[in-house]
Amino acid sequence: MSRFSPLLDPPAFPPDAFAALADRLKRLLGTANDLVFLQGEAILALEAAAASLARPGLVALNVVTSPYGALFGQWLRRGGADVHEVGAEPGRPIAAAAVEAALGALPKVDLLSLVHAETSSGILNPLPAISALAKRRGALIVVDAVASFAGHPLDVDALGIDVCIIGPQKALGGPAGLSMATVSSRAWAAIEAASARVPSSLSLLDLKRNWLDRGRGVLPGMPSALEFWALEAAVSGLEAEGLEARIARHALAARASRAGLMALGTGSWVTDEALASTMATGAPVPAGLDTDALVAEAARLGVTLTPGHGEIRDRLVRLDHTGARANFSTVLASVVGYGMAVERLGGTVDIAAGAAAVARAYAGRGEP
């Protein structure tokens, strides 16, 4: 038997399979727009979108509800765009009214960008309302849907999204080494007008010319067979489960997590289901407790909690129920583990009530 792993020498991904895989993803996203693959984690695709669209004279309204949104604005500015920003309180979703007011203050707006769901805080931004506002102004809509695809309803064409960035590593349950972008004809025209430099790994126009316009055969460069086989397996898993069922499974995990936290007595960071991500649930760090100590105490119990990002790092920890983790046993362990960690550090919680609330949510009883 060979001492080498088959992972080190996977079979080549078939040349005609790239286009077929793109079309399967397009159906799941509800779009007839082009879809291109980028061979890197989703942050590369986000930067590529900004680098491809940005130009002097472009007026953009960038919604900032996390460090990722802030980064997108920086990338647009680097390309010469005139970027205006509207934000929410740290770790909170943006209000559609705030976006409406920001749009109203601009004589013209060419582009609106936002993150749909934020795993850094467990919030969900009101994308349908915001996209409707942007469409009324004729602005291109750019959406970071990395943490929402397959976990929340996302119909790209119905929402009028011009550039939608997704990654397989969240609800799709795939690898992190690839990302995808859907691009509308309006967005391609804007990218052409921006005269994006090619060749470049940050040029969507380069992908269009060298893959889409050449018949969608083998991707340019050296595509990673291992990553594409894994992505195809993840897409097949989603198709087998069904998109609606996958979304419902994540929604149940989020409801059960919030119910458990409320019953514990700590409450959850986001209590309104309409404003909560189904990928992760934020749990507050109780007053007087240290975030790192809370994370470490949970880890001793075999439960993974992660701090928030940026300004909210010491205000919440996140319970992850993404992909395969969106199930009863993981949610129960996370809620109980968080409760036990709080208790061991001197906080007061009702662990039995928290566990019972999670069980009721999954059994379909009570108000989850």
Side-chain angles (χ1 to χ4, degrees), residues 70-108:
L71 268 176
F72 198 81
Q74 292 174 26
W75 292 327
L76 288 172
R77 288 190 186 93
R78 185 179 64 193
D82 178 15
V83 181
H84 302 261
E85 292 187 339
V86 55
E89 293 181 22
R92 301 297 181 185
I94 194 71
V99 176
E100 185 174 23
L103 285 168
L106 296 173
K108 78 158 190 165

Side-chain angles (χ1 to χ4, degrees), residues 55-210:
R55 58 173 172 77
L58 180 87
V59 179
L61 179 64
N62 184 42
V63 177
V64 179
T65 51
S66 76
Y68 298 106
L71 268 176
F72 198 81
Q74 292 174 26
W75 292 327
L76 288 172
R77 288 190 186 93
R78 185 179 64 193
D82 178 15
V83 181
H84 302 261
E85 292 187 339
V86 55
E89 293 181 22
R92 301 297 181 185
I94 194 71
V99 176
E100 185 174 23
L103 285 168
L106 296 173
K108 78 158 190 165
V109 59
D110 302 303
L111 180 151
L112 181 143
S113 51
L114 78 155
V115 179
H116 188 191
E118 302 276 17
T119 53
S120 59
S121 57
I123 63 100
L124 180 72
N125 284 315
L127 175 58
I130 292 173
S131 65
L133 292 169
K135 281 195 288 187
R136 286 206 289 269
R137 292 297 303 271
L140 291 170
I141 303 169
V142 180
V143 175
D144 172 350
V146 175
S148 61
F149 172 54
H152 288 279
L154 179 68
D155 191 325
V156 168
D157 288 357
L159 291 167
I161 299 172
D162 293 288
V163 177
C164 183
I165 305 299
I166 63 170
Q169 71 268 35
K170 298 294 185 180
L172 190 56
L178 289 174
S179 49
M180 291 74 73
T182 66
V183 187
S184 71
S185 57
R186 283 206 320 152
W188 282 130
I191 290 169
E192 292 269 8
S195 299
R197 286 182 290 177
V198 293
S200 168
S201 59
L202 292 178
S203 172
L204 296 181
L205 185 59
D206 195 41
L207 283 171
K208 180 179 185 297
R209 292 173 176 173
N210 292 316

Side-chain angles (χ1 to χ4, degrees), residues 37-51:
F37 296 104
L38 292 98
Q39 297 180 67
E41 196 265 337
I43 200 75
L44 174 71
L46 291 165
E47 186 173 0

Side-chain angles (χ1 to χ4, degrees), residues 264 294 297-298 301 333-347 349 351:
L264 279 175
L294 186 61
E297 199 63 47
L301 299 166
S334 295
V335 170
V336 171
Y338 163 76
M340 290 180 67
V342 169
E343 187 175 69
R344 289 185 178 187
L345 294 173
V349 291
I351 295 172

Side-chain angles (χ1 to χ4, degrees), residues 218-269:
V218 177
L219 287 177
M222 185 176 290
S224 168
L226 187 61
E227 296 287 345
F228 276 99
W229 284 121
L231 175 59
E232 185 180 61
V235 170
S236 295
L238 175 55
E239 291 169 337
E241 182 177 1
L243 181 60
E244 290 185 2
R246 178 73 58 93
I247 292 171
R249 177 162 61 81
H250 281 83
L252 175 56
R255 288 197 304 274
S257 297
R258 289 193 301 274
L261 294 174
M262 296 299 290
L264 279 175
T266 61
S268 64
W269 182 256

